[in-house]
Structure formats: structure tokens, C-alpha cells
Amino acid sequence: MNVTERFSKTVIAAMQRFIAEADGNEVFFTGHINGSGIVESVEAAARGNESSVPVNFSKMRECSVLIHNHPDGNIHPSDADLSVASGCSENAQGFYIINNDVSEVYVVMEPVLPKKIEKLNPEKVAEYISCGGPLAKISDSFEERPVQIELLKKIAEAFNDGQVGVFEAGTGVGKSFAYLIPAMLWAVENKERVVVSTGTINLQQQLSEKDIPAAEKIIGKKVKAVLVKGRQNFICLRRLEDVANDRDLFSEETEILDKINQWAKESPTGSRSDLPFMPPDNVWSRVCSESDACMGMRCLYREQCFVMRMRKEASDANLLVVNHHLLFADIESRMGGAGYDDAAVLPPYRRIIFDEAHDMENAATSFFSTGFTRFRLLRLINLLYRKKKSSIAGYVFTLQALSTGPDLTSHVISSIEAVKTSMTGLETAACDLMQTEFTFRLYQQTARAFGPVISLMTQLGDNIAAVCAFIRDIMESISESNRENSIFWESKNILRRLDEIAVFCHNFPLWSEKQDTVFWMQKLHLNPALAKNVQNPWYVQFVQTPLEISSKMASGVFEPMKTVVCTSATLSTGRHFDWWMRRSGAAFVEPQRISSAEFPSPFPYKKNMFFAVPKDAPFPDSSSYQAFVEQAVVRLIKAASGRTLVLFTSFDSLIHACSYARSMLRNSGITIMKQGEDDRFRLLDNFKKDVNSVLFATDSFRQGIDVPGQSLSQVIIAKLPFSVPNDPVFTARSEQIELRGGSSFMDLSVPDAIIKYRQAVGRLIRRSDDRGSVVVLDRRIIEKSYGRLFLASMPEVNVRYEPLEDLSQNIQNFLDL
């Protein structure tokens, strides 16, 4: 083949020079082609000997074609060449072999011609939200925000240059428009799908219902955006019918099922969030869509399927809005073999925006953790076989009736009884081991004490495996025509879940061989409403959690994606992003791909926030600290006439402080609410509506709460939010840092607490005219050397360090009460 049909003259000369400089040995090149398929630039990425050369995988990531020379002049591919060329086909890359003087070329794999990319003009895109632009014309309250404009430009550049953007945008910057406008323009102009991933339902709904429609008006273009939810959020009409026809098995939930059935007949979406009531998880899990229980084209309801309808909408959407959990499910599927060019859980995409990116590590850790409880196990087992009084029911009887094989029902029943017995023994042994502790980790120091638990865990895994084996034997003898029965598909779903638990049980004893995993258990209490008729309301959850997720995030997200934008109001610690980047996996990215910047809030914190620390507060390790907290909280609530969010790191401390406040403020007209006494969303709704109310909550309320106006005029932080010492995953990660020669306190505990602290402080000022006080009852923030890192991470405010009595009066004066 004529080499000039493949290479420019400049490239030919460059490769000849590189080969000569390598003394005629093999050289590995990466090349870039133009729209005509001509290689117009090359880089010598590696050099070898006369018969081989290493492949530089980091350099081949973005190139169009891989090229290397054969010094012996035989340019036909070896087996090793063909193996590398096969990998090229998956990445749409070409693979060429040349001789040493670059007079001949053998094309092993043709490259895919590059699609013409329409890059964004950051200055022009910024005009959409600048003075005189479309936003200014359609918004009565428009006010140009320079920081928002700069953020938008940075995000536009990240799309143009294939960057990983790490952008901290303070409250009020307007980050939603700053990323939606360039993302939507890019998606429309280049016909490339963009995924926006968020951490909370509230933000997903805000984006879908408010921000995206508004952004469409601003850019004057129609963009198809779809809010994608996991299939378990949707009702399955076939499963709902099956449950309705098997009322004996679900007699206790008949009323709830009837309500769901009536709703499903009229619902346009079939989404759980659209139900006018919240069904119990054990009921919803029986009627929601499940991948393993899906009959696909065999299903009689396929034309009405809500999941298929959503997927069809998503398949040609420009913009997908998802939560972190669903995104990680998709990434896991792609890393497991689905690849990045075809549909997996989501349609294919190469550009992601992570909003609320500060929580990426926690979301990924949660997703990639696995575990089970007796309730989850027994719920599955009871579907196969259940005995109540004098009646028996379960799928095993239907399966056996359909099967042409021997009757194995008695074997299944005896194996199920063995599962129940071993589960009871396992939970008893776990509770005996934990005694008064609520969490317990399996590691070298506790391995001997874990002996009975491990033995019973192994036994439970064997018994579950026996149940699965008998059920599979029955199912294998069912004819193809009888496999259309929905019970067959439901049983497949149950077997998959039981297999997962069995694998978990057999992994637990192998803890010492799995150094990248934390094995632990925790004791939990049933919801008070469910615990009324239960003899023992305590139960144990057994869990295994990845020790770190950074490498998985790097290989699954940051490396294969062309653009990844990560934004949040709280990414930095001490004015840099190093800690977040290490924990999230972004630190593995080539430095030249990283673009990072801070965009401070435009709100007048120095004027509108009264920040205080009581000088007379005992240190948290003092025996008098709790009493001080209880008295201080009451005094500060009075100073603000309610209107206060009180955040604790300990639920026990919260309970005592709330009880004391209720007794002291009984006749004050101030409503006191406590986390756990009602649904989270109802609590927040009531807190917003009742201007004189107070909400006592734990750290879980430090984010995702938006209460602008007078309803929230004071945030009290009882203690700096360091992770509790008995958190098994946090402890294991701390030990790993120490083993590597680092300081777990300064390298993990402090930066982790700073991010949580910043989230808590950020609850107060939600719009430019909000004003109020933040009081930290932990004077370590002033007295300890690391305290300055917490203060440095905040917006600029005046710090008041005075006795509580003086602070209370000054807060009252500040709030003009």
C-alpha cells in the first residue's frame, strides 16, 4: 500500500527520524488522523529491541491509530500484534505496521474516521447568562453573577478539551445553569449524550421540573431530557397481577396491594414516587420491576411496561438525569464486560456531570457494599415455602407441579427449615459477640472471638446453597412451554438473590485473603411502628465494604469518559482539592487533564452571618460537656425564638438534649421536632412551615436541606463532625493510612470532618437576604491547632469567641428580636 495514502509527508519523516534514533529497533507510535483518514501527527510512545516493543497504554488512550515498525522488513502481523489489534477494535482505533524506512505499511485494523466535533465558544456561551442576554430578558429578578459566568466558561472548556473538571461553587453561584447550558448545547450540537448525576432526589426533581425547562428557554433550543430511575422504582404490572391472584400468601398486605393496584390502572408513569402513599418495602419489593423476574418479550404486559417506556425515552435523549447509585450500577455493568459503546443499565455516554460530587465516595462505597439481614433472607425463603397455622403455600409447589422430574418438595422444605435454624443461631452468636456494641469488625484482633459467627455463617451459606440446588433441579425438569409461567421467572429472581447471600456467607470466612474488603456487622433496631408485635426488635446486618473505591472510580469513570465535571459547594479542605481527589479517584488522572478552580459564594456572609463559639464550653471529652450542650441549646433557641436546626454527631446526645429542651420550653410556643419521630420529608416540610420550630437532627441532615427565609435563622453544631471511632470502615481506612506511613487523623479524620462541617454551616444562608447565626459548641475549633483548618474552609466571617451568656444576647440583638 502506498504510504502516502496513510501518512502525511511530515509524519513519514518524523517516524524515519525516531526509528533511526532508536538504532533501527522497534518503536511504538501513537497517531492522530484527520477527516480523510491521513495520519497527520505521531508521538514516539515507547522503544524496544529488534523483535518487540512495549505498548504504552497511557499514551494510546486518546489516539486514533497505533503504529509500530518491524525491523526485519516483514510487515505482516504476529500473534502478539493481532492480540493488540483486537483491543484496538473495541476502542475504534486503527493498527498499522511499517518497515524501518516507512516505505511500506500493512493495515491490520482500520481506524474509525473521527467525528467532527463542534467545540463551544466559552465567551459566546457565557452571553446566555450575561447582561443583555436571554436570561436577563426573561427573568424579572436578573442579576449578573460574574462567578457563575466564569464557572460556565470553565465547564465549556472541559467539554472542548476532554478534561476532568473539579469545580467548587459556593451557595448562590448558580452552578445548575453553569453546567446545564454548556452540557445541553454540547449534546445538541454534537449529538452526544450527557449524563447529570446527583446525590439527592430533591436535586433530581429540581433539575427535571425547573432548571432544565428554564435552561431550554435560555438557549432557545429544544433538548430532550429524561429523568432515569432504577427499574425497582417502577411497578411491574405482571408481578402485581400475580400477587393479586395469590392473596393467601400476602393476606396481611391485602389493603395496601389493593390501593397499589387501583393506582397502577391510572398512573401515567408507574413510578413509586408518584404514589399518594408510601408502601412498606416488603410489599413494594414484591410488585416492583426486577431484572431477573422480567419476562421480556414473553410478558403479556410488555406494551404497557413502564420500564420499557422509560428506556425508550432515554435511548434518544440528549440529557439523562440520574442519581449516583444508578450511575454506579451502570458503570459496574460496563466494567463487568458490557463495555462503553453499547447500552447497559443506561444508554451509552462518554460525558458526565457529577453534582453534589462531595458525596461521590460515600455513594460509591454504599453501592459497592453488599450485605444481608434475617428479614431479607426470610422474605426470600418465605416466597418459596411458607407455613401459617394449618395452611402452606409457596412457589415450590407450583414449580414441582410444572416439573416432570422427581418430587423434591420435602427436600426443599427440610433445607429451608435448616436455613431458618442456622440464621437464628448466627444472629444469636452475633448479638452475644457484640453485647453492648452496635458495630463489630472482623479483623486480626477479633478473629478468634468471631469463631462461632464464622462457623455459623459457613453453615448458613451451605444450607442456602442446598435450597438453591434443589429448586434448580426442579426447574431444570420444567419443559420450555411451561417456563412461560411467571412463577418460573419469579423463582429465578429469588435464586439469584439467595446465591448472592450464599456467596457472601462463604466470603466472610475468607476475610484474611481479601485485604481490599472490610467485613463487619451492625446491630439495628426495627422501626417503632414495625416493632410493636415483634418479640425481639433488634436484628443484625452483616456487611462487606470495599476498603477504598478510588481505583475503581479511576478505571470505571475518569479514564474511559471524555469529560467528567465534578461540582459541589464543598470539595476543598484548606483551599485545595487534594484530599477529595485522592478519595474519589480523580488523583489517578493525568495532571494535564485536570482543571480545578474555586468559585466563591456571592452572598454577604460577613454581614449576614453571626458566627460564634462559646468560650466557656467544656471540651467534648469532659464529663460536664453534655450538660453544657443541653443548657446552651435551650438558651440559644430562646435567643432566636426557635427557628433553629441543631445538629449532633451522636443520637444518644440528641435524645437527651431534645428531652431537656422540651421540658424547659414546654410553654414557650416553640415547636420541637426530632429526627426519627416522623418521615424525613414531612419533618422538613413542617419545619419550613412552622416559623417558630426547632429541629433536632444528626449529621444526616447536614446536607440536602434547603430552608431559605426566617424558618431557619440559626444552626447549632453540637460537636465537630469527626467520624465516630467505632465506624468499622472508617477505622479500617485509618489503619491503612497508618500502615502507609501517613497520619490517619490529619489525612482522613480532619478533612472528612471539614467537608461535613462545611455542609452543616451551609444550611444557614440559602439566598442573598438570609441572615442568622451559626454556633459551634465545640471550642476545639478555636483552641486546637487543626481548628484553623475548619475556620479557613469557611467564607470570610467575624468569629465571636465569648461566654455563652454574652453570645446569646448578641445573637438576639443581631436577629433584631
Side-chain angles (χ1 to χ4, degrees), residues 148-214:
Q148 182 186 41
I149 292 171
E150 292 307 310
L151 173 59
L152 179 146
K153 289 179 182 178
K154 278 287 189 181
I155 292 173
E157 290 169 4
F159 275 93
N160 286 343
D161 301 333
Q163 295 175 335
V164 172
V166 181
F167 305 129
E168 180 172 285
T171 306
V173 167
K175 59 183 167 62
S176 295
F177 281 166
Y179 66 68
L180 282 176
I181 289 172
M184 292 163 77
L185 290 170
W186 183 275
V188 171
E189 296 295 332
N190 292 294
K191 295 180 172 55
E192 283 192 355
R193 187 176 293 107
V194 179
V195 172
V196 178
S197 182
T198 76
T200 62
I201 294 172
N202 287 347
L203 183 52
Q204 290 169 53
Q205 292 177 334
Q206 177 186 315
L207 288 171
S208 298
E209 298 170 11
K210 179 183 174 184
D211 294 342
I212 291 173

Side-chain angles (χ1 to χ4, degrees), residues 330-546:
D330 181 78
I331 294 296
E332 181 184 48
S333 177
R334 296 184 186 284
M335 293 177 71
Y340 287 82
D341 296 321
D342 298 310
V345 177
L346 300 172
Y349 56 93
R350 288 291 182 140
R351 303 187 191 268
I352 306 176
I353 295 169
F354 283 99
D355 201 343
E356 298 174 321
H358 64 276
D359 208 35
M360 276 172 59
E361 183 189 14
N362 289 335
T365 297
S366 173
F367 175 80
F368 291 109
S369 294
T370 58
F372 74 96
T373 66
R374 70 176 145 100
F375 294 109
R376 181 185 173 207
L377 175 59
L378 295 180
R379 192 179 301 138
L380 295 169
I381 290 294
N382 287 339
L383 290 171
L384 294 174
Y385 170 75
R386 180 178 180 179
K387 183 176 182 181
K388 188 174 182 182
K389 296 179 181 179
S390 59
S391 65
I392 56 175
Y395 296 158
V396 64
F397 300 108
T398 303
L399 293 173
Q400 189 64 66
L402 295 171
S403 174
T404 58
D407 189 345
L408 300 177
T409 306
S410 61
H411 295 288
V412 173
I413 293 172
S414 61
S415 297
I416 284 176
E417 293 303 327
V419 168
K420 292 179 178 179
T421 301
S422 52
M423 182 68 237
T424 300
L426 173 62
E427 193 161 57
T428 300
C431 287
D432 289 344
L433 177 58
M434 285 192 280
Q435 295 184 3
T436 58
E437 298 292 328
F438 287 92
T439 60
F440 216 85
R441 175 177 153 226
L442 172 56
Y443 67 121
Q444 192 169 359
Q445 280 87 331
T446 62
R448 184 181 295 274
F450 253 98
V453 171
I454 289 175
S455 176
L456 288 162
M457 182 80 77
T458 303
Q459 185 183 101
L460 176 62
D462 291 342
N463 290 333
I464 294 172
V467 172
C468 293
F470 285 125
I471 294 291
R472 283 196 170 91
D473 285 345
I474 295 172
M475 293 173 70
E476 284 173 5
S477 297
I478 296 176
S479 66
E480 284 296 326
S481 59
N482 283 331
R483 292 186 180 192
E484 300 295 318
N485 191 298
S486 61
I487 297 300
F488 183 88
W489 292 85
E490 288 294 332
S491 299
K492 280 180 61 179
N493 182 42
I494 293 169
L495 288 180
R496 179 182 68 83
R497 294 179 179 278
L498 288 175
D499 283 339
E500 289 174 353
I501 297 175
V503 169
F504 180 97
C505 291
H506 290 130
N507 275 340
F508 222 79
L510 303 177
W511 65 271
S512 61
E513 301 173 20
K514 299 179 180 294
Q515 296 298 310
D516 59 349
T517 305
V518 184
F519 294 87
W520 56 289
M521 55 190 187
Q522 62 178 335
K523 189 161 50 180
L524 302 168
H525 194 281
L526 278 173
N527 183 295
L530 298 175
K532 290 178 182 177
N533 301 318
V534 178
Q535 187 175 1
N536 179 16
W538 293 98
Y539 65 100
V540 178
Q541 182 183 33
F542 302 91
V543 191
Q544 61 181 48
T545 299

Side-chain angles (χ1 to χ4, degrees), residues 558-709:
F558 293 113
E559 289 176 10
M561 294 297 153
K562 293 179 179 177
T563 298
V564 183
V565 172
C566 304
T567 183
S568 168
T570 53
L571 291 179
S572 65
T573 54
R575 302 300 180 193
H576 59 77
F577 301 105
D578 296 354
W579 182 79
W580 180 87
M581 289 179 61
R582 285 196 304 271
R583 303 304 307 175
S584 67
F588 287 96
V589 175
E590 303 96 316
Q592 61 269 27
R593 277 195 76 208
I594 295 287
S595 172
S596 61
E598 283 185 76
F599 299 90
S601 169
F603 293 163
Y605 284 91
K606 198 167 186 178
K607 173 186 174 186
N608 286 5
M609 180 188 287
F610 185 102
F611 181 83
V613 181
K615 196 172 188 176
D616 47 350
F619 282 115
D621 59 359
S622 167
S623 59
S624 60
Y625 177 72
Q626 179 63 28
F628 175 84
V629 168
E630 292 172 9
Q631 294 164 19
V633 165
V634 168
R635 184 172 291 186
L636 292 166
I637 288 172
K638 289 180 178 178
S641 292
R643 307 187 297 170
T644 300
L645 172 65
V646 194
L647 293 171
F648 294 83
T649 58
S650 159
F651 201 73
D652 186 60
S653 177
L654 179 155
I655 290 171
H656 287 94
C658 184
S659 177
Y660 180 80
R662 279 176 168 162
S663 66
M664 300 300 292
L665 300 170
R666 188 178 295 111
N667 300 315
S668 65
I670 294 172
T671 306
I672 302 218
M673 307 175 193
K674 185 178 75 174
Q675 178 183 344
E677 290 181 340
D678 202 346
D679 174 75
R680 175 187 173 98
F681 295 105
R682 277 194 294 270
L683 270 178
L684 286 174
D685 191 50
N686 292 335
F687 180 55
K688 289 178 183 178
K689 291 176 180 176
D690 187 343
V691 179
N692 296 318
S693 64
V694 176
L695 176 58
F696 283 70
T698 59
D699 271 358
S700 62
F701 275 68
R702 72 178 181 271
Q703 60 181 348
I705 297 177
D706 191 14
V707 186

Side-chain angles (χ1 to χ4, degrees), residues 80-205:
D81 291 333
L82 292 174
S83 176
V84 175
S86 296
C88 289
S89 67
E90 295 180 8
N91 298 318
Q93 293 171 316
F95 188 83
Y96 300 172
I97 301 172
I98 56 176
N99 60 359
N100 272 20
D101 60 5
V102 200
S103 59
E104 297 180 61
V105 58
Y106 188 92
V107 178
V108 183
M109 185 70 64
E110 289 283 0
V112 174
L113 293 180
K115 184 176 72 172
K116 186 179 180 182
I117 293 294
E118 296 291 337
K119 291 193 173 185
L120 302 175
N121 182 325
E123 297 297 331
K124 285 193 172 296
V125 176
E127 290 175 4
Y128 285 107
I129 57 172
S130 301
C131 284
L135 177 59
K137 294 174 182 175
I138 63 177
S139 173
D140 294 333
S141 58
F142 174 80
E143 183 179 335
E144 187 177 84
R145 306 181 196 181
V147 285
Q148 182 186 41
I149 292 171
E150 292 307 310
L151 173 59
L152 179 146
K153 289 179 182 178
K154 278 287 189 181
I155 292 173
E157 290 169 4
F159 275 93
N160 286 343
D161 301 333
Q163 295 175 335
V164 172
V166 181
F167 305 129
E168 180 172 285
T171 306
V173 167
K175 59 183 167 62
S176 295
F177 281 166
Y179 66 68
L180 282 176
I181 289 172
M184 292 163 77
L185 290 170
W186 183 275
V188 171
E189 296 295 332
N190 292 294
K191 295 180 172 55
E192 283 192 355
R193 187 176 293 107
V194 179
V195 172
V196 178
S197 182
T198 76
T200 62
I201 294 172
N202 287 347
L203 183 52
Q204 290 169 53
Q205 292 177 334

Side-chain angles (χ1 to χ4, degrees), residues 252-261 277-280 283:
E252 297 172 4
E253 295 92 14
T254 299
E255 185 180 346
I256 296 172
L257 288 168
D258 285 343
K259 288 182 179 179
I260 294 175
N261 199 13
F277 62 94
M278 187 61 69
V283 175

